[in-house]
Amino acid sequence: MIGNLKPLEILLIIAVIFLLFGAKKLPDMARSLGKSARILKSEAKAMKKDGEAEDAAAAAAAPAAPADQAPQAVPRTIQAAPGDVTSARPVSEPNRSTQA
């Protein structure tokens, strides 16, 4: 649908957005959109890195751990941005050992 828009139609849409939100709000909206995108990207990388670390730890610990001992849960945190420890909060997860 977007590929079917002509340059004049795109210009008209931009003009309507500019009239609705005004010149003062548009830079703030763009800034907050960029910040949200950076946070989403950093969280996705952190989740991927955390998943790879858990897989590697599970693979390394699996042969060495006795079968009668349950693995201990490591507390996990979510950060709003890389290096921002003031807004980090613990993640509440259900106990995985009772779900299996």
Side-chain angles (χ1 to χ4, degrees):
M1 178 172 161
I2 293 177
N4 296 336
L5 293 177
K6 297 175 185 164
L8 184 60
E9 293 169 340
I10 294 173
L11 187 62
L12 182 64
I13 291 171
I14 291 172
V16 169
I17 290 172
F18 186 74
L19 288 173
L20 285 175
F21 294 108
K24 293 182 180 179
K25 295 265 183 182
L26 287 177
D28 292 335
M29 290 172 54
R31 220 174 280 119
S32 65
L33 181 64
K35 186 176 181 181
S36 299
R38 282 192 302 274
I39 290 171
L40 179 65
K41 185 177 177 181
S42 68
E43 287 297 322
K45 282 183 180 179
M47 289 176 65
K48 184 176 180 182
K49 187 177 180 182
D50 189 35
E52 290 173 353
E54 284 180 1
D55 291 344
D68 62 342
Q69 218 176 29
Q72 295 181 353
V74 177
R76 296 172 52 191
T77 60
I78 295 177
Q79 295 182 348
D84 183 16
V85 295
T86 59
S87 62
R89 62 185 192 279
V91 178
S92 60
E93 294 181 348
N95 190 354
R96 292 184 185 183
S97 63
T98 59
Q99 288 180 353

